[in-house]
Amino acid sequence: MSIPSIVSGWERFISDVQSAYAEVARATTERSNATPVTKPDDIQVVGRLWNVAKAEFHKHRVRIEDRWSEVLDLLAAEAPGEDVTFKEGLKRDRGILEMEIVCERATRLAMAHAAEKLLAAGNDAAHLAAAGHLIADAAALEPWEEMTRAAHAMKEPKNRKEVPLEVLEKYADASRRYHTLRLQTEARYVPINAPHVAMKVEGQMQAVMRELKMFWQWRAAHP
């Protein structure tokens, strides 16, 4: 089998598995959105639906990982070189990452939808706190996805020195926007937390900065 045919078959397999899981997420979204939510226990019912969907994600992940073992054997027979093997391994990691993002995105949006239905049924303090957290998770989805992809890109090169500064900057920026938007949104439902948002954001960013300072290119640009 030629290397191009191995590569094209591998890419097609990853795409097929991703499509299969996207259908799982779509069907679960329909079921969860159709679930009545009038009390906190109903949120748990919706959550259990997504626990099942997350279990399905892990099954689909294993499918990709198992196929990668087969692809490795096929590539080894053709002796393509380390660079080709490394590149195809990245496709495995990126394929799984994008499928995981689909799972998390669908879960957060569905749980936020359930939280909004809970609030529509009654606005006591306990409901506000629980619902606000779920709604905030969904509100900050866009920077969360950017942060997650950047964090993954930081781990891809064999050597930390090969990570572009642009990727590190993107991780820092997306992280700050994510934590800020999530905490600000949550504070709208629990106003007592509003004065502490800035402090909490900085607390989250301390961990981000510790991670970034492990890269010499970040330290050089931000002495």
Side-chain angles (χ1 to χ4, degrees):
M1 184 178 292
S2 68
I3 291 176
S5 63
I6 294 171
V7 169
S8 62
W10 172 226
E11 291 173 346
R12 186 165 54 252
F13 180 82
I14 292 173
S15 178
D16 288 346
V17 173
Q18 289 176 324
S19 295
Y21 185 73
E23 177 58 25
V24 171
R26 185 202 63 76
T28 306
T29 295
E30 285 190 358
R31 290 181 62 195
S32 63
N33 286 351
T35 301
V37 179
T38 59
K39 57 187 183 299
D41 286 350
D42 295 333
I43 292 282
Q44 296 179 17
V45 173
V46 175
R48 284 194 289 271
L49 291 175
W50 286 101
N51 286 340
V52 172
K54 288 181 178 180
E56 285 297 314
F57 158 72
H58 288 294
K59 290 180 182 178
H60 285 69
R61 174 179 186 150
V62 169
R63 288 180 62 195
I64 292 177
E65 291 172 341
D66 287 348
R67 183 57 175 264
W68 172 238
S69 296
E70 298 174 8
V71 171
L72 270 177
D73 291 339
L74 292 172
L75 288 173
E78 301 298 323
E82 184 179 344
D83 288 346
V84 172
T85 302
F86 182 74
K87 181 179 178 181
E88 297 311 309
L90 286 181
K91 291 177 184 177
R92 171 203 59 194
D93 298 338
R94 291 170 182 172
I96 291 172
L97 172 69
E98 291 303 320
M99 194 163 59
E100 185 173 6
I101 286 175
V102 166
C103 175
E104 187 65 21
R105 181 193 304 133
T107 301
R108 291 191 184 199
L109 289 173
M111 295 303 294
H113 183 66
E116 289 167 351
K117 288 195 286 188
L118 176 64
L119 292 183
N123 290 336
D124 65 42
H127 289 184
L128 284 171
H133 177 76
L134 296 173
I135 293 170
D137 280 346
L141 256 179
E142 182 177 340
W144 175 81
E145 291 186 18
E146 293 179 29
M147 178 182 71
T148 300
R149 289 191 178 97
H152 186 273
M154 288 161 56
K155 299 175 183 177
E156 285 188 346
K158 298 176 183 179
N159 192 314
R160 283 181 184 162
K161 295 179 180 179
E162 298 174 2
V163 177
L165 178 61
E166 178 184 0
V167 170
L168 302 177
E169 298 281 7
K170 183 177 293 185
Y171 178 65
D173 176 67
S175 296
R176 182 171 291 280
R177 286 188 290 111
Y178 167 66
H179 292 301
T180 300
L181 182 55
R182 183 177 63 82
L183 289 166
Q184 286 179 342
T185 302
E186 191 171 5
R188 288 204 291 270
Y189 295 87
V190 187
I192 195 173
N193 290 340
H196 310 293
V197 166
M199 180 183 67
K200 289 183 178 180
V201 169
E202 293 309 316
Q204 294 291 339
M205 290 305 296
Q206 286 180 11
V208 172
M209 289 301 119
R210 282 196 297 271
E211 187 173 3
L212 288 169
K213 287 177 181 177
M214 296 173 67
F215 296 82
W216 73 267
Q217 54 273 54
W218 176 269
R219 297 195 303 272
H222 301 273

Tab-separated table of all heavy atoms in Angstrom, residues 171-194:
chain	number	residue	atom	x	y	z
A	171	TYR	N	-2.722	31.882	23.550
A	171	TYR	CA	-3.143	31.164	24.754
A	171	TYR	C	-3.378	32.127	25.906
A	171	TYR	O	-4.393	32.035	26.621
A	171	TYR	CB	-2.084	30.133	25.131
A	171	TYR	CG	-2.388	29.371	26.397
A	171	TYR	CD1	-3.480	28.514	26.478
A	171	TYR	CD2	-1.575	29.508	27.527
A	171	TYR	CE1	-3.759	27.816	27.640
A	171	TYR	CE2	-1.833	28.807	28.685
A	171	TYR	CZ	-2.922	27.962	28.738
A	171	TYR	OH	-3.200	27.266	29.891
A	172	ALA	N	-2.466	33.069	26.096
A	172	ALA	CA	-2.606	34.045	27.177
A	172	ALA	C	-3.842	34.913	26.977
A	172	ALA	O	-4.620	35.133	27.912
A	172	ALA	CB	-1.356	34.916	27.262
A	173	ASP	N	-4.032	35.400	25.753
A	173	ASP	CA	-5.162	36.274	25.465
A	173	ASP	C	-6.489	35.546	25.626
A	173	ASP	O	-7.427	36.054	26.257
A	173	ASP	CB	-5.030	36.821	24.045
A	173	ASP	CG	-6.228	37.657	23.638
A	173	ASP	OD1	-6.432	38.741	24.215
A	173	ASP	OD2	-6.999	37.219	22.752
A	174	ALA	N	-6.581	34.343	25.060
A	174	ALA	CA	-7.827	33.583	25.142
A	174	ALA	C	-8.140	33.186	26.583
A	174	ALA	O	-9.302	33.189	27.003
A	174	ALA	CB	-7.742	32.347	24.253
A	175	SER	N	-7.107	32.852	27.335
A	175	SER	CA	-7.303	32.475	28.741
A	175	SER	C	-7.896	33.635	29.538
A	175	SER	O	-8.844	33.460	30.315
A	175	SER	CB	-5.984	32.040	29.372
A	175	SER	OG	-5.482	30.883	28.765
A	176	ARG	N	-7.338	34.822	29.352
A	176	ARG	CA	-7.849	35.982	30.084
A	176	ARG	C	-9.296	36.283	29.677
A	176	ARG	O	-10.144	36.562	30.532
A	176	ARG	CB	-6.965	37.203	29.861
A	176	ARG	CG	-7.431	38.443	30.643
A	176	ARG	CD	-6.421	39.566	30.580
A	176	ARG	NE	-5.211	39.246	31.335
A	176	ARG	CZ	-5.106	39.365	32.653
A	176	ARG	NH1	-6.141	39.796	33.377
A	176	ARG	NH2	-3.966	39.077	33.264
A	177	ARG	N	-9.573	36.228	28.383
A	177	ARG	CA	-10.938	36.503	27.931
A	177	ARG	C	-11.915	35.451	28.436
A	177	ARG	O	-13.044	35.758	28.809
A	177	ARG	CB	-10.983	36.571	26.406
A	177	ARG	CG	-10.378	37.858	25.844
A	177	ARG	CD	-10.585	38.004	24.354
A	177	ARG	NE	-9.788	37.058	23.591
A	177	ARG	CZ	-10.258	36.049	22.900
A	177	ARG	NH1	-11.584	35.828	22.871
A	177	ARG	NH2	-9.464	35.231	22.232
A	178	TYR	N	-11.464	34.206	28.463
A	178	TYR	CA	-12.329	33.134	28.951
A	178	TYR	C	-12.677	33.321	30.422
A	178	TYR	O	-13.852	33.327	30.808
A	178	TYR	CB	-11.648	31.774	28.752
A	178	TYR	CG	-12.323	30.662	29.509
A	178	TYR	CD1	-13.614	30.251	29.182
A	178	TYR	CD2	-11.687	30.041	30.589
A	178	TYR	CE1	-14.247	29.238	29.889
A	178	TYR	CE2	-12.311	29.025	31.289
A	178	TYR	CZ	-13.592	28.627	30.945
A	178	TYR	OH	-14.213	27.635	31.653
A	179	HIS	N	-11.672	33.464	31.256
A	179	HIS	CA	-11.937	33.582	32.690
A	179	HIS	C	-12.718	34.856	33.007
A	179	HIS	O	-13.600	34.856	33.874
A	179	HIS	CB	-10.619	33.551	33.466
A	179	HIS	CG	-9.930	32.220	33.405
A	179	HIS	ND1	-10.509	31.065	33.853
A	179	HIS	CD2	-8.691	31.875	32.922
A	179	HIS	CE1	-9.677	30.052	33.674
A	179	HIS	NE2	-8.570	30.518	33.113
A	180	THR	N	-12.414	35.933	32.299
A	180	THR	CA	-13.123	37.190	32.540
A	180	THR	C	-14.593	37.070	32.171
A	180	THR	O	-15.482	37.429	32.968
A	180	THR	CB	-12.483	38.333	31.730
A	180	THR	OG1	-11.120	38.485	32.134
A	180	THR	CG2	-13.224	39.645	31.967
A	181	LEU	N	-14.881	36.566	30.990
A	181	LEU	CA	-16.264	36.459	30.535
A	181	LEU	C	-17.059	35.479	31.382
A	181	LEU	O	-18.209	35.748	31.750
A	181	LEU	CB	-16.287	36.031	29.063
A	181	LEU	CG	-17.666	35.907	28.405
A	181	LEU	CD1	-18.455	37.210	28.555
A	181	LEU	CD2	-17.508	35.540	26.934
A	182	ARG	N	-16.446	34.365	31.719
A	182	ARG	CA	-17.152	33.369	32.529
A	182	ARG	C	-17.498	33.928	33.909
A	182	ARG	O	-18.634	33.809	34.384
A	182	ARG	CB	-16.302	32.109	32.672
A	182	ARG	CG	-16.996	30.983	33.435
A	182	ARG	CD	-16.129	29.744	33.485
A	182	ARG	NE	-14.886	29.971	34.212
A	182	ARG	CZ	-14.775	29.936	35.542
A	182	ARG	NH1	-15.843	29.698	36.303
A	182	ARG	NH2	-13.614	30.151	36.124
A	183	LEU	N	-16.515	34.556	34.555
A	183	LEU	CA	-16.752	35.061	35.910
A	183	LEU	C	-17.684	36.269	35.917
A	183	LEU	O	-18.508	36.423	36.823
A	183	LEU	CB	-15.416	35.404	36.568
A	183	LEU	CG	-14.558	34.182	36.937
A	183	LEU	CD1	-13.132	34.599	37.256
A	183	LEU	CD2	-15.175	33.432	38.115
A	184	GLN	N	-17.569	37.132	34.918
A	184	GLN	CA	-18.482	38.280	34.826
A	184	GLN	C	-19.909	37.827	34.602
A	184	GLN	O	-20.850	38.387	35.182
A	184	GLN	CB	-18.043	39.215	33.703
A	184	GLN	CG	-16.808	40.040	34.017
A	184	GLN	CD	-16.396	40.932	32.866
A	184	GLN	OE1	-16.805	40.721	31.716
A	184	GLN	NE2	-15.573	41.931	33.146
A	185	THR	N	-20.088	36.837	33.753
A	185	THR	CA	-21.434	36.324	33.479
A	185	THR	C	-22.029	35.691	34.722
A	185	THR	O	-23.187	35.929	35.075
A	185	THR	CB	-21.396	35.298	32.334
A	185	THR	OG1	-20.838	35.902	31.169
A	185	THR	CG2	-22.804	34.794	32.017
A	186	GLU	N	-21.237	34.901	35.409
A	186	GLU	CA	-21.719	34.247	36.619
A	186	GLU	C	-22.100	35.281	37.681
A	186	GLU	O	-23.100	35.108	38.406
A	186	GLU	CB	-20.641	33.311	37.150
A	186	GLU	CG	-21.113	32.388	38.260
A	186	GLU	CD	-20.075	31.339	38.610
A	186	GLU	OE1	-18.961	31.389	38.056
A	186	GLU	OE2	-20.382	30.474	39.439
A	187	ALA	N	-21.348	36.368	37.751
A	187	ALA	CA	-21.617	37.400	38.758
A	187	ALA	C	-22.942	38.113	38.506
A	187	ALA	O	-23.536	38.672	39.434
A	187	ALA	CB	-20.478	38.415	38.788
A	188	ARG	N	-23.415	38.097	37.270
A	188	ARG	CA	-24.718	38.719	36.993
A	188	ARG	C	-25.855	37.957	37.662
A	188	ARG	O	-26.906	38.520	37.953
A	188	ARG	CB	-24.949	38.791	35.486
A	188	ARG	CG	-24.082	39.822	34.789
A	188	ARG	CD	-24.705	40.280	33.484
A	188	ARG	NE	-24.708	39.238	32.477
A	188	ARG	CZ	-23.713	39.046	31.608
A	188	ARG	NH1	-22.636	39.820	31.651
A	188	ARG	NH2	-23.790	38.095	30.714
A	189	TYR	N	-25.622	36.688	37.908
A	189	TYR	CA	-26.655	35.865	38.562
A	189	TYR	C	-26.432	35.791	40.067
A	189	TYR	O	-27.362	35.497	40.818
A	189	TYR	CB	-26.656	34.455	37.952
A	189	TYR	CG	-27.070	34.466	36.509
A	189	TYR	CD1	-26.142	34.663	35.498
A	189	TYR	CD2	-28.413	34.339	36.155
A	189	TYR	CE1	-26.530	34.702	34.160
A	189	TYR	CE2	-28.813	34.380	34.823
A	189	TYR	CZ	-27.861	34.570	33.843
A	189	TYR	OH	-28.245	34.625	32.522
A	190	VAL	N	-25.186	36.040	40.484
A	190	VAL	CA	-24.869	36.069	41.916
A	190	VAL	C	-24.118	37.380	42.158
A	190	VAL	O	-22.878	37.402	42.233
A	190	VAL	CB	-24.005	34.857	42.329
A	190	VAL	CG1	-23.836	34.819	43.846
A	190	VAL	CG2	-24.606	33.560	41.822
A	191	PRO	N	-24.842	38.491	42.281
A	191	PRO	CA	-24.207	39.821	42.359
A	191	PRO	C	-23.192	39.977	43.486
A	191	PRO	O	-22.279	40.802	43.372
A	191	PRO	CB	-25.397	40.761	42.564
A	191	PRO	CG	-26.559	40.032	41.956
A	191	PRO	CD	-26.306	38.581	42.252
A	192	ILE	N	-23.323	39.181	44.533
A	192	ILE	CA	-22.377	39.298	45.647
A	192	ILE	C	-20.952	38.976	45.187
A	192	ILE	O	-19.968	39.383	45.831
A	192	ILE	CB	-22.815	38.370	46.813
A	192	ILE	CG1	-22.070	38.750	48.088
A	192	ILE	CG2	-22.593	36.910	46.460
A	192	ILE	CD1	-22.560	38.002	49.316
A	193	ASN	N	-20.837	38.239	44.086
A	193	ASN	CA	-19.510	37.871	43.570
A	193	ASN	C	-18.886	38.957	42.695
A	193	ASN	O	-17.683	38.906	42.413
A	193	ASN	CB	-19.598	36.587	42.748
A	193	ASN	CG	-19.890	35.367	43.605
A	193	ASN	OD1	-19.674	35.382	44.811
A	193	ASN	ND2	-20.400	34.314	42.984
A	194	ALA	N	-19.687	39.938	42.283
A	194	ALA	CA	-19.215	40.939	41.325
A	194	ALA	C	-17.948	41.682	41.776
A	194	ALA	O	-17.029	41.868	40.971
A	194	ALA	CB	-20.330	41.926	41.005
